[in-house]
Amino acid sequence: MAESMKGLHRTHRCTEVSNKNIGETVTVMGWVQKSRNKGGIVFTDLRDRSGLLQIIFEEGSISSEVFERAGRLRSEFVIAVTGKVESRSGATNENLVTGDIEIRAKELRVLSEADTPPFPIEEASKTKEELRLKYRYLDLRRPDLQKNLIMRSKVATLTRQFLSEEGFLEIETPMLNKSTPEGARDYLVPSRVHPGNFYALPQSPQIFKQLLMCSGYDRYFQIAKCFRDEDLRADRQPEFTQIDMELSFVEIEDILDVNERLLQKLFKEVLGVEIQTPIQRMTYKEAMDRFGSDKPDLRFGMELKNVSEIVKDTEFAVFKGALENGGSIRGINAAGQADMPRKKIDALVDFAKGYGAKGLAYLAINEDGTYKSSFAKFMTEEELKALVSAMEGKPGDLLFFAADKDKIVYNVLGALRIEIADKLELLKKDDYHFLWVTEFPLLEWSEEEERFTAMHHPFTMPMEEDLHLLSTDPGKVRAKAYDIVLNGTELGGGSLRIYQNDIQEKMFEVLGFTKEDAYERFGFLLNAFKYGVPPHGGLAFGLDRLIMLMAKEDSIRDVIAFPKVKDASCLMTEAPNVVDAKQLDELGIGINNNLNL
Amino acid sequence: MAESMKGLHRTHRCTEVSNKNIGETVTVMGWVQKSRNKGGIVFTDLRDRSGLLQIIFEEGSISSEVFERAGRLRSEFVIAVTGKVESRSGATNENLVTGDIEIRAKELRVLSEADTPPFPIEEASKTKEELRLKYRYLDLRRPDLQKNLIMRSKVATLTRQFLSEEGFLEIETPMLNKSTPEGARDYLVPSRVHPGNFYALPQSPQIFKQLLMCSGYDRYFQIAKCFRDEDLRADRQPEFTQIDMELSFVEIEDILDVNERLLQKLFKEVLGVEIQTPIQRMTYKEAMDRFGSDKPDLRFGMELKNVSEIVKDTEFAVFKGALENGGSIRGINAAGQADMPRKKIDALVDFAKGYGAKGLAYLAINEDGTYKSSFAKFMTEEELKALVSAMEGKPGDLLFFAADKDKIVYNVLGALRIEIADKLELLKKDDYHFLWVTEFPLLEWSEEEERFTAMHHPFTMPMEEDLHLLSTDPGKVRAKAYDIVLNGTELGGGSLRIYQNDIQEKMFEVLGFTKEDAYERFGFLLNAFKYGVPPHGGLAFGLDRLIMLMAKEDSIRDVIAFPKVKDASCLMTEAPNVVDAKQLDELGIGINNNLNL
């Protein structure tokens, strides 16, 4: 039975009651965490979003009807209780904020009864994620998910507050847009009024925010929903949220500065963590050379070393071949790991192969100075010594080497470095290492399309000192682009934008767009640029990833209220679903027959 | 040519410079509003989002190269100027914040040249809206649009701040949802991973916010994008923005109270307008009886009067017929309008016909007490006298009467009342009259579907005193629902929700849903309700309309950065558009052949 709360007024949330209220009569409402009768007293733990509070119903001191009803309380019943705040009669519960008090109930209303939930509502749930997602409305009752969503709300609020104070305007950009097939796959929306035509959901507000700069809004931001119809990974969702911003009349330093202060504020006020500014900076080239990654995890060392020069005269076929093919040999030093069992080393070799390596050479330096190695027999003692010395190898260390084209070597050792650190438990989640990676390549060669594509997007400004290379050696042009990296995760990125028509046209030319192509896709932006455009640039943070790291979670699904799973479906609502034929008729579309539905 | 701003740092926005800075050297950047050479001095008005600032370039006192470049400046060029702040040499310009100062320029960089825009960038533009929307990026430079969007940003910021302080959490709900064909038409999104299946864009976060209450989040809000694929009117857009909220453990008073305080804060801080609280309340029935509308405009009187009783014995066929058909005769008094020319009266009769009236009876009371009337000849002197007296008619007044079924009479007179007030210029935009309309009918009869449909939505709580009518006379059941009305516009609405499974099932039954139907559509919500649900309710404001009224605009397009037009297209981006066949193939959909594209 569901009673009404008519005439009742909640006076406190559970943990808003404290020993300062002793003697007062309060009314609290929430869910029964658990309830048990112990010798004529019913002890009920009441839960709301603030936490837990103990209620006692004592036989004799309340009406027998109330006591009887209290005896029937079960987990997840929703109740309203009026009673007096008292010091806890039993031992203080140190685990609870309200552990030194209890409410001696006088009145009880059962606002809603509850079936037994399919899994317990508790922290650090052991329940399979699939079941939790199906019953997300119950999963969301768990204190750890509540903590995450409360943190998310706080981060959004602080972000808005900070950016408003810095002169940013929050301006909404449209969701129903034109499809511009450059970059990821668009989600399309059929038009009923214009049958055969489609809107696209935004992959980002990129073009609109640049238009707003052309329109003189000076500083824009938005916490914006974005969409990409790509195959999902653990840190991807079909819809995700960006803290998106754009600034006029600025250079790179201005953008980095305001964002460093934003991060500083968020980490300070939400986590109590001090971020030192300026945040460390590193060029893309240096990041690749030292860490084999454009988003290096700086929580530990184990840097890559290029030993190509050391072994350039070796007869070891693997090394020799790599060098002959224009590649390199690089290594990392897993210090103190010389006694890693062969089985684990083999697992790492397999891991490396997953990243494109043909193999992985290793060399363990025994405590007595001798080597145990997969390739020592192919090299001279002198070569080995030089190699170990270049790697700063000491007795007890374990060295790994990859030999291949640079791209593969970086990829393999960059991933191996993280894998080893993870196995060695070097990746502490409360150890925050920020990094700006700068001077990204402007373009990357697409083997698939046999043309250069924009690494960031086609509006990214090239570095002035590389402008002359646009015609002669486009792959070498660096961009005024930057990523913000936290503990090996790319949190966000941005760039200065091209605001000169001639450079923009050149850029489209390099990308292989005809002028017609370019106007077909981005005509309104190119037209806007004819009427006076300020120098501008911006940045976007992935809010989901930022909260994931702040909440020390491994999946962004744990910081999104209603996430989707790998196949982009929602286990709770069962979206997407089949719709009425009438709806499709109105849109002028049909489902292809060959689908065999 | 586009010069770089390298090495330059903007020190102020235009109107941040004041006479307190006299003697200082500043660097300002922005757009040239206008520029003219007057006797060896180039006067340039520089514009940014803050306003205008006068720059002077004096021949002789600066390098001839800078002076020459200044001479070439044209409207909308983007420039950076460094110079000294001085008292204005000419007369003070009272219209400008910076009217008593000017910048004596030393340096000038032209950051971007500009073509002549297709229309002037000025307030109160006379340019056709179509052209303005095509070049929205230029239209958005106009100070009045900038003012509106800055106000919008401020309202959103204040709303978030207020609701956060009141214990609300901002929680994002998904955009890619399940289609539930109840209410307006959904925008659909084809799924690539599940061909033949579709997501729907949310018409509102209704179900998700109720789930969040089930999950214990206690107070939720979101400034949420919502979508309805309906034919557009002046105050509708395919995508629109709601201030959406939901609260647990509350009764109606709690919800109204927090929203009154929100509105009070917004109007005070943004417009300097004091709203008196509590805001006036009126039942739906009273609103219809007195104003013929469920969103009465209280800026003026001209209330409806039911004169059925007065004329119940008349032989006048129109009145007699209406009464015989179970209808009523009601009138309004356009005080002082007795001398309205016949042509204008005829126009009002036509206007009434547009709202379903078969005709409109009128009676003018001449200054000498005689009548001029369309129906006086059908009635006795006594009847007319009684009628005039009931309408509180005085010499000089003009009375209008509608006779029909109640629904039509309300519709006609409600609209006529506004039309007359508009013609008489009684609708002052800075005169804000708020009203809560309460006790809405729970259901309305749909002639088309031959069943009751939910007036609000199927989760709206019936009033307890009417619960027994659900089975016997559902049309009479009143709901715990309320709308907030401002000056005749519905700003928002909400309700307490059903949290009892038995009432919810009854509700679905009345709506003609089988249990299977109900579970097919809302199963996850109904399931959630099994596990303990708190009493809850909420409200949603139309943000676009709120800003429109606050900005004293007539169209929501003037408070949306990139609005769509009547056919749901965007004149700037030309969305929706035709997409590649490959994109459709991947989605497993085709365009119906009979479209003849």
Side-chain angles (χ1 to χ4, degrees):
Chain A
M1 283 291 62
E3 289 183 85
S4 154
M5 57 170 284
K6 200 164 190 173
L8 281 187
H9 175 73
R10 177 172 65 170
T11 59
H12 297 77
R13 291 203 183 88
C14 286
T15 65
E16 286 166 5
V17 188
S18 74
N19 54 22
K20 293 199 184 88
N21 304 102
I22 284 173
E24 291 175 23
T25 295
V26 298
T27 298
V28 288
M29 306 186 185
W31 285 256
V32 173
Q33 180 70 24
K34 61 182 179 196
S35 192
R36 69 279 178 206
N37 187 328
K38 228 162 78 185
I41 302 181
V42 173
F43 293 88
T44 301
D45 283 347
L46 187 71
R47 187 190 73 231
D48 67 16
R49 87 173 190 215
S50 75
L52 295 173
L53 178 62
Q54 179 165 291
I55 318 282
I56 62 166
F57 298 89
E58 188 167 8
E59 191 165 17
S61 83
I62 49 176
S63 79
S64 61
E65 187 217 334
V66 169
F67 183 74
E68 201 182 312
R69 249 188 299 163
R72 287 201 304 266
L73 292 180
R74 290 171 54 198
S75 288
E76 302 311 313
F77 276 32
V78 180
I79 60 173
V81 173
T82 302
K84 202 175 248 179
V85 185
E86 297 186 345
S87 270
R88 197 171 278 217
S89 46
T92 294
N93 182 340
E94 305 280 355
N95 297 321
L96 290 188
V97 183
T98 60
D100 57 347
I101 53 164
E102 62 195 8
I103 308 295
R104 176 172 291 271
K106 280 184 221 146
E107 298 294 338
L108 165 67
R109 286 196 209 169
V110 176
L111 304 175
S112 171
E113 299 194 343
D115 291 355
T116 302
F119 51 84
I121 308 302
E122 62 187 13
E123 276 190 78
S125 176
K126 299 277 188 300
T127 309
K128 254 178 55 184
E129 193 185 13
E130 230 171 80
L131 191 68
R132 292 200 286 111
L133 288 176
K134 183 176 172 192
Y135 295 94
R136 186 62 163 182
Y137 41 84
L138 297 177
D139 195 29
L140 284 171
R141 291 185 186 176
R142 296 192 307 105
D144 27 13
L145 273 187
Q146 296 208 339
K147 208 181 67 210
N148 291 351
L149 291 186
I150 290 169
M151 181 190 284
R152 184 176 179 125
S153 179
K154 190 166 177 192
V155 167
T157 302
L158 289 171
T159 299
R160 288 186 158 107
Q161 184 193 320
F162 175 83
L163 291 175
S164 296
E165 285 165 9
E166 294 282 329
F168 288 79
L169 301 170
E170 182 154 24
I171 300 177
E172 297 170 61
T173 55
M175 294 279 117
L176 296 173
N177 295 321
K178 185 178 179 172
S179 179
T180 53
E182 172 78 4
R185 214 182 273 113
D186 282 330
Y187 274 105
L188 297 181
V189 182
S191 161
R192 177 179 56 87
V193 186
H194 305 275
N197 288 260
F198 294 81
Y199 304 95
L201 299 179
Q203 295 189 23
S204 85
Q206 184 63 34
I207 293 182
F208 289 104
K209 68 178 178 175
Q210 292 195 240
L211 287 175
L212 287 170
M213 296 304 103
C214 294
S215 302
Y217 287 80
D218 206 287
R219 292 188 166 204
Y220 142 96
F221 85 101
Q222 194 180 191
I223 299 190
K225 269 285 170 79
C226 304
F227 302 83
R228 280 180 205 170
D229 187 7
E230 298 292 342
D231 300 315
L232 304 189
R233 299 196 308 248
D235 59 347
R236 288 270 175 92
Q237 285 278 314
E239 51 181 303
F240 55 98
T241 306
Q242 275 184 196
I243 302 174
D244 190 49
M245 67 184 79
E246 194 80 8
L247 304 81
S248 290
F249 302 116
V250 290
E251 294 196 275
I252 289 183
E253 285 306 318
D254 302 297
I255 302 174
L256 302 197
D257 170 64
V258 77
N259 281 289
E260 290 186 357
R261 288 185 293 114
L262 169 61
L263 288 169
Q264 200 167 40
K265 178 186 172 99
L266 294 178
F267 276 72
K268 179 78 198 279
E269 297 197 16
V270 178
L271 299 175
V273 169
E274 293 283 356
I275 298 178
Q276 296 308 318
T277 58
I279 286 170
Q280 186 181 345
R281 295 177 195 184
M282 194 181 284
T283 66
Y284 171 87
K285 189 173 179 312
E286 183 180 349
M288 296 306 285
D289 278 345
R290 291 176 55 191
F291 302 96
S293 169
D294 60 359
K295 39 179 191 281
D297 191 330
L298 300 188
R299 282 175 294 179
F300 64 102
M302 218 191 293
E303 296 189 17
L304 277 63
K305 297 237 155 62
N306 188 345
V307 295
S308 306
E309 189 58 30
I310 311 286
V311 299
K312 71 175 194 295
D313 299 321
T314 186
E315 288 304 311
F316 178 33
V318 173
F319 287 4
K320 197 175 167 185
L323 290 173
E324 281 171 3
N325 284 323
S328 58
I329 297 107
R330 294 165 204 257
I332 56 175
N333 182 345
Q337 297 302 312
D339 54 359
M340 186 183 284
R342 180 59 191 263
K343 215 169 159 182
K344 285 197 178 172
I345 293 181
D346 287 346
L348 290 177
V349 173
D350 283 345
F351 176 87
K353 286 179 178 167
Y355 282 80
K358 290 196 253 330
L360 191 66
Y362 67 88
L363 184 150
I365 309 169
N366 299 322
E367 290 299 342
D368 63 4
T370 61
Y371 305 139
K372 187 171 60 196
S373 168
S374 60
F375 63 96
K377 56 188 168 203
F378 302 113
M379 300 187 71
T380 66
E381 191 65 26
E382 219 163 55
E383 280 174 337
L384 286 174
K385 217 167 167 179
L387 200 55
V388 167
S389 154
M391 294 302 299
E392 297 175 27
K394 291 183 299 294
D397 290 354
L398 175 61
L399 314 179
F400 290 99
F401 299 94
D404 212 315
K405 286 185 180 149
D406 279 351
K407 199 176 164 180
I408 294 176
V409 170
Y410 287 142
N411 207 22
V412 168
L413 293 184
L416 193 68
R417 194 181 154 262
I418 304 291
E419 176 71 8
I420 294 171
D422 188 29
K423 292 266 186 287
L424 300 180
E425 296 180 4
L426 300 177
L427 307 177
K428 304 287 177 216
K429 281 186 175 161
D430 54 358
D431 185 16
Y432 295 101
H433 282 259
F434 285 90
L435 172 71
W436 288 109
V437 178
T438 62
E439 301 185 12
F440 272 82
L442 182 70
L443 303 159
E444 51 188 351
W445 182 256
S446 164
E447 296 291 347
E448 193 189 333
E449 303 186 43
E450 294 191 322
R451 65 168 180 111
F452 281 107
T453 57
M455 188 136 178
H456 200 99
H457 55 59
F459 315 111
T460 306
M461 178 87 92
M463 286 177 64
E464 270 125 35
E465 42 275 68
D466 293 351
L467 267 177
H468 64 283
L469 296 171
L470 259 183
S471 310
T472 54
D473 195 355
K476 283 245 172 72
V477 178
R478 291 164 301 165
K480 292 194 176 175
Y482 34 82
D483 275 358
I484 178 79
V485 173
L486 171 57
N487 292 356
T489 295
E490 179 204 329
L491 274 191
S495 65
L496 291 192
R497 325 302 184 185
I498 300 172
Y499 65 97
Q500 308 91 332
N501 252 326
D502 52 342
I503 301 180
Q504 187 65 64
E505 282 178 16
K506 183 81 205 161
M507 180 72 176
F508 282 131
E509 194 186 309
V510 174
L511 292 173
F513 290 10
T514 64
K515 203 155 178 173
E516 288 72 41
D517 277 349
Y519 268 84
E520 168 75 27
R521 291 171 192 210
F522 308 111
F524 48 99
L525 185 67
L526 298 178
N527 280 328
F529 276 24
K530 290 179 184 158
Y531 299 104
V533 44
H536 61 291
L539 183 134
F541 285 99
L543 181 63
D544 308 299
R545 288 193 201 172
L546 175 63
I547 308 290
M548 178 183 81
L549 294 180
M550 292 180 80
K552 305 179 183 66
E553 296 286 359
D554 293 315
S555 162
I556 57 172
R557 289 189 298 276
D558 289 329
V559 299
I560 295 173
F562 301 99
K564 300 203 165 50
V565 293
K566 273 206 167 177
D567 69 351
S569 71
C570 171
L571 299 182
M572 181 187 71
T573 63
E574 296 177 341
N577 60 338
V578 173
V579 299
D580 291 349
K582 186 182 152 224
Q583 288 175 278
L584 299 185
D585 279 349
E586 284 189 315
L587 297 173
I589 61 171
I591 295 168
N592 290 348
N593 288 327
N594 54 5
L595 290 177
N596 294 322
L597 290 172
Chain B
M1 286 289 56
E3 290 182 85
S4 153
M5 58 172 282
K6 198 162 191 174
L8 281 186
H9 175 71
R10 177 172 65 168
T11 59
H12 298 77
R13 292 203 183 87
C14 286
T15 65
E16 286 166 5
V17 188
S18 74
N19 54 23
K20 292 198 185 89
N21 303 103
I22 284 172
E24 290 175 25
T25 294
V26 299
T27 297
V28 288
M29 306 185 186
W31 284 257
V32 173
Q33 180 69 22
K34 59 181 183 197
S35 192
R36 69 278 178 207
N37 186 328
K38 227 161 80 182
I41 301 181
V42 173
F43 293 88
T44 301
D45 284 348
L46 187 71
R47 187 191 72 233
D48 66 18
R49 87 173 188 213
S50 75
L52 294 173
L53 177 63
Q54 179 166 289
I55 317 282
I56 62 166
F57 299 89
E58 189 166 9
E59 190 165 17
S61 84
I62 49 176
S63 80
S64 61
E65 187 218 334
V66 169
F67 183 74
E68 203 182 312
R69 249 188 300 163
R72 286 199 304 266
L73 292 180
R74 290 170 54 198
S75 288
E76 302 310 314
F77 276 33
V78 180
I79 60 173
V81 173
T82 301
K84 202 176 248 178
V85 184
E86 296 186 347
S87 271
R88 198 171 276 217
S89 46
T92 293
N93 182 341
E94 303 282 354
N95 296 321
L96 289 189
V97 183
T98 60
D100 57 347
I101 53 163
E102 61 196 10
I103 308 295
R104 177 170 290 271
K106 280 184 222 147
E107 298 294 339
L108 166 67
R109 286 196 209 169
V110 176
L111 303 175
S112 171
E113 298 193 345
D115 291 355
T116 303
F119 53 82
I121 309 303
E122 62 188 11
E123 276 189 74
S125 176
K126 300 276 187 301
T127 308
K128 255 180 51 185
E129 193 185 13
E130 230 170 82
L131 191 68
R132 292 200 285 111
L133 288 175
K134 182 177 173 190
Y135 295 95
R136 186 63 163 181
Y137 41 84
L138 297 177
D139 195 29
L140 284 171
R141 290 185 187 177
R142 295 190 309 103
D144 27 14
L145 273 187
Q146 295 208 338
K147 208 180 69 218
N148 291 352
L149 290 186
I150 291 169
M151 181 189 286
R152 185 176 179 124
S153 178
K154 192 167 174 189
V155 167
T157 303
L158 289 170
T159 299
R160 288 186 157 107
Q161 184 193 319
F162 175 82
L163 292 175
S164 296
E165 285 165 10
E166 294 283 328
F168 287 79
L169 300 171
E170 182 155 22
I171 300 177
E172 296 170 61
T173 55
M175 294 279 117
L176 296 173
N177 296 321
K178 185 177 179 174
S179 179
T180 53
E182 172 78 2
R185 212 182 272 112
D186 281 331
Y187 274 105
L188 297 181
V189 182
S191 160
R192 178 179 56 86
V193 186
H194 306 275
N197 288 260
F198 294 81
Y199 303 96
L201 299 179
Q203 294 187 26
S204 86
Q206 184 63 36
I207 294 182
F208 289 104
K209 69 178 178 176
Q210 292 195 239
L211 287 175
L212 287 170
M213 295 304 102
C214 294
S215 301
Y217 287 81
D218 206 285
R219 294 189 164 202
Y220 142 96
F221 85 101
Q222 192 179 192
I223 299 189
K225 270 286 170 77
C226 304
F227 303 82
R228 281 180 204 171
D229 187 7
E230 298 294 339
D231 300 315
L232 303 191
R233 301 196 307 248
D235 59 347
R236 288 271 176 91
Q237 286 278 314
E239 51 180 303
F240 56 98
T241 307
Q242 275 183 196
I243 302 173
D244 190 50
M245 67 184 78
E246 194 80 5
L247 304 81
S248 290
F249 302 116
V250 290
E251 294 196 276
I252 290 184
E253 285 306 318
D254 302 298
I255 302 175
L256 303 198
D257 170 64
V258 77
N259 279 289
E260 290 186 358
R261 288 185 292 113
L262 169 61
L263 287 169
Q264 200 166 40
K265 178 185 171 103
L266 293 179
F267 276 72
K268 179 76 198 280
E269 296 199 17
V270 177
L271 300 175
V273 169
E274 293 283 356
I275 298 177
Q276 296 306 317
T277 57
I279 287 171
Q280 188 182 344
R281 295 177 197 183
M282 194 180 286
T283 65
Y284 171 86
K285 188 172 178 316
E286 183 181 349
M288 296 307 285
D289 278 345
R290 290 177 55 191
F291 302 95
S293 168
D294 61 359
K295 38 178 192 282
D297 191 328
L298 300 188
R299 283 176 293 180
F300 64 102
M302 218 190 293
E303 296 189 15
L304 276 64
K305 296 234 154 62
N306 187 344
V307 295
S308 307
E309 189 58 30
I310 311 286
V311 299
K312 70 175 193 297
D313 299 321
T314 186
E315 287 305 310
F316 178 31
V318 173
F319 287 5
K320 198 176 166 186
L323 291 174
E324 282 170 5
N325 285 321
S328 59
I329 297 106
R330 293 165 203 256
I332 56 175
N333 182 344
Q337 297 302 311
D339 55 357
M340 186 182 283
R342 180 59 191 263
K343 215 170 156 180
K344 285 198 177 170
I345 293 181
D346 287 347
L348 290 177
V349 174
D350 283 346
F351 176 87
K353 287 178 177 167
Y355 282 79
K358 291 196 252 335
L360 191 65
Y362 66 88
L363 184 149
I365 309 169
N366 298 321
E367 291 298 341
D368 63 2
T370 62
Y371 305 140
K372 188 170 61 196
S373 169
S374 61
F375 63 96
K377 56 188 170 203
F378 302 113
M379 300 186 75
T380 66
E381 191 66 24
E382 218 162 55
E383 282 174 337
L384 287 174
K385 217 167 165 180
L387 200 56
V388 167
S389 155
M391 294 301 299
E392 298 175 25
K394 291 182 298 293
D397 289 355
L398 175 60
L399 313 179
F400 290 99
F401 298 93
D404 212 315
K405 286 184 180 149
D406 280 351
K407 198 176 165 181
I408 294 177
V409 170
Y410 287 141
N411 207 22
V412 168
L413 293 183
L416 193 69
R417 195 182 154 261
I418 304 291
E419 175 72 7
I420 294 171
D422 188 29
K423 292 268 186 289
L424 298 180
E425 295 180 2
L426 299 177
L427 307 177
K428 305 286 178 216
K429 283 187 174 161
D430 54 0
D431 185 15
Y432 295 101
H433 281 260
F434 285 90
L435 172 72
W436 288 108
V437 178
T438 62
E439 301 186 11
F440 273 83
L442 181 70
L443 303 159
E444 52 189 348
W445 182 258
S446 164
E447 295 292 346
E448 194 189 333
E449 303 186 43
E450 294 191 320
R451 64 170 180 108
F452 281 107
T453 57
M455 188 138 177
H456 201 99
H457 55 59
F459 315 111
T460 306
M461 178 87 93
M463 285 175 64
E464 270 125 34
E465 42 275 68
D466 293 351
L467 267 177
H468 65 284
L469 295 170
L470 259 182
S471 311
T472 54
D473 195 354
K476 283 243 172 72
V477 178
R478 291 165 300 164
K480 293 194 176 175
Y482 34 80
D483 275 359
I484 178 81
V485 174
L486 171 56
N487 293 356
T489 295
E490 178 203 330
L491 275 190
S495 64
L496 291 193
R497 325 302 185 186
I498 300 171
Y499 66 96
Q500 307 91 330
N501 251 327
D502 51 344
I503 301 180
Q504 187 66 67
E505 281 178 16
K506 183 80 205 157
M507 179 73 176
F508 281 131
E509 194 186 310
V510 174
L511 292 173
F513 291 10
T514 64
K515 205 156 177 174
E516 288 72 42
D517 277 350
Y519 269 84
E520 167 75 28
R521 290 169 193 212
F522 308 111
F524 48 99
L525 185 67
L526 298 177
N527 280 328
F529 276 24
K530 291 180 185 159
Y531 298 104
V533 44
H536 61 291
L539 184 134
F541 285 99
L543 181 64
D544 308 299
R545 287 192 203 171
L546 174 64
I547 308 290
M548 178 183 80
L549 293 180
M550 292 180 81
K552 305 179 184 66
E553 295 285 359
D554 294 314
S555 162
I556 56 172
R557 290 189 297 277
D558 289 328
V559 299
I560 295 172
F562 300 99
K564 301 205 165 50
V565 292
K566 272 202 170 187
D567 69 351
S569 72
C570 171
L571 298 182
M572 182 187 71
T573 63
E574 296 177 338
N577 60 338
V578 173
V579 300
D580 292 350
K582 187 181 153 226
Q583 288 175 277
L584 299 185
D585 279 350
E586 282 189 316
L587 297 173
I589 61 171
I591 295 168
N592 291 348
N593 288 326
N594 54 5
L595 290 176
N596 295 321
L597 291 169

